[in-house]
Amino acid sequence: MLSGLSVPTDDRVLIDYRTHDDAGVYRVGEDTTLVQTIDFFTPIVDDPYQYGQIAAANALSDVYAMGGTPLTALAVAAFPAGEIEMDIIRRIFVGGLDKLREAGVALLGGHTVRDQEIKFGYAVTGTIDPRRIWSNAGARVGDQLLLTKPLGTGVIATAIKFARATAEAADAAVASMLRLNRDAARALALPSVPDAVGGCTDITGFGLLGHGSEMARASGVTLVIDSTAVPTFPGVAALVKGNTTGGGNTNRAHFGADIGFASSINETTQALLFDPQTSGGLLATIQPGAAEAVRDALRLAGVPAWTIGHVAPRDTNTVVIR
Ligand code: CO
Ligand code: CO
């Protein structure tokens, strides 16, 4: 959206929208560097309390994905005039507040407007060590690719909306979306191996292939992903047909030309790799020498993680799936 604007350069801006990173980074002074992001969206689950929690976990995720610590949040909300019970709105806010509290983040305020469709989320501010910012541009040839949550929340949220989701798929996706990426980020920030993480991003609207593609482009590399190693939610494959979102098709139209699929990769797998995620996991590239220590740290923190491929020198594709 901002690409056509000429924004003056400011040397206190360390990272802005131009590199497609998760959040902006701004140096206030010698000792203080801020990381800032905003995210809000329409309901993706039926339960208002869970929707509020997921909106908070999702908004905080961009700060964790860059290696930052979120500190404060401002709520951003839209509700239709008079059509919605006060109690439902209250439960959305309570869900968000409970998730912020779990993350140790203070709610400072917010802004609500009238709109046809419900929307809810947060603008989040945190701090970050300017010497250790995980960006899209940090992936190094030879790094392993690590993913910390299964794919399929877009398909499952659509299936939930039309009452087509199995309880197994819905429960797994909701539990995953509720989970903060905080513990994953902490485990990745192993102090003993300072450069263990190369690039890092969270998987959200662009899906694994969209976010992977942006990381590959920013780092000048190609991501090689083993499709059989990519985790998906139980039962989601059977839901793909009939529940593929508009966002999934948009992702395929936008990023598809840069992706190299082996002929063995079927339509269902491709759809899940393009599926837009809400509160998705971290995709991190890990120096091979630190991979075992990182996996141990994640295990100790109770964070599931899957090694899904590696980083190769740039070829004609941004991402190769085999
Ligand atoms: Co992000
Ligand atoms: Co975001």
Side-chain angles (χ1 to χ4, degrees):
M1 282 307 191
L2 299 176
S3 57
L5 300 181
S6 88
V7 174
T9 34
D10 177 335
D11 56 16
R12 289 166 295 188
V13 175
L14 304 188
I15 291 186
D16 67 11
Y17 59 90
R18 279 172 270 227
T19 49
H20 304 279
D21 270 296
D22 295 301
V25 178
Y26 182 87
R27 186 166 215 156
V28 180
E30 266 319 297
D31 301 320
T32 312
T33 303
L34 298 180
V35 52
Q36 295 184 290
T37 181
I38 180 164
D39 228 319
F40 58 99
F41 48 82
T42 56
I44 50 154
V45 289
D46 294 332
D47 182 311
Y49 178 75
Q50 284 183 342
Y51 167 48
Q53 286 182 295
I54 292 168
N58 182 77
L60 295 169
S61 177
D62 279 330
V63 173
Y64 295 128
M66 298 202 74
T69 305
L71 298 176
T72 63
L74 298 166
V76 186
F79 298 105
E83 286 165 34
I84 204 177
E85 288 168 47
M86 242 355 259
D87 182 54
I88 291 178
I89 297 178
R90 196 186 59 80
R91 278 191 285 155
I92 294 172
F93 275 96
V94 171
L97 192 58
D98 281 355
K99 191 52 73 175
L100 293 180
R101 197 175 296 137
E102 180 188 334
V105 170
L107 179 69
L108 299 185
H111 189 70
T112 302
V113 296
R114 293 283 171 216
D115 197 2
Q116 307 275 58
E117 217 178 351
I118 300 176
K119 296 179 189 74
F120 187 72
Y122 293 94
V124 180
T125 300
T127 54
I128 193 163
D129 178 350
R131 291 156 305 183
R132 206 213 59 193
I133 297 170
W134 299 334
S135 83
N136 265 329
R140 303 154 298 200
V141 171
D143 280 0
Q144 293 187 4
L145 282 177
L146 210 73
L147 180 66
T148 65
K149 289 185 184 181
L151 302 182
T153 68
V155 164
I156 293 171
T158 306
I160 290 174
K161 191 181 279 181
F162 296 101
R164 294 191 287 244
T166 60
E168 187 194 31
D171 290 351
V174 168
S176 175
M177 290 189 284
L178 288 173
R179 190 150 44 81
L180 291 171
N181 280 328
R182 173 191 55 192
D183 296 349
R186 274 190 192 155
L188 289 173
L190 279 179
S192 59
V193 190
D195 60 347
V197 175
C200 187
T201 189
D202 60 336
I203 304 304
T204 51
F206 295 156
L208 177 65
L209 290 184
H211 289 286
S213 218
E214 296 216 310
M215 179 184 278
R217 205 170 291 140
S219 302
V221 297
T222 291
L223 308 188
V224 180
I225 294 177
D226 171 6
S227 64
T228 62
V230 177
T232 57
F233 292 111
V236 68
L239 295 172
V240 166
K241 206 170 178 202
N243 296 294
T244 300
T245 62
N249 294 327
T250 306
N251 287 343
R252 188 191 292 255
H254 190 74
F255 296 103
D258 294 332
I259 314 292
F261 285 106
S263 56
S264 59
I265 312 300
N266 65 30
E267 192 49 41
T268 300
T269 303
Q270 291 191 25
L272 287 170
L273 293 168
F274 281 118
D275 186 46
Q277 304 299 287
T278 298
S279 190
L282 299 182
L283 173 69
T285 84
I286 309 294
Q287 180 199 300
E292 206 186 318
V294 166
R295 272 195 299 271
D296 285 347
L298 287 163
R299 199 177 307 120
L300 212 67
V303 178
W306 293 264
T307 302
I308 61 166
H310 68 276
V311 180
R314 181 63 200 262
D315 69 17
T316 50
N317 299 298
T318 51
V319 185
V320 171
I321 309 290
R322 48 191 203 200

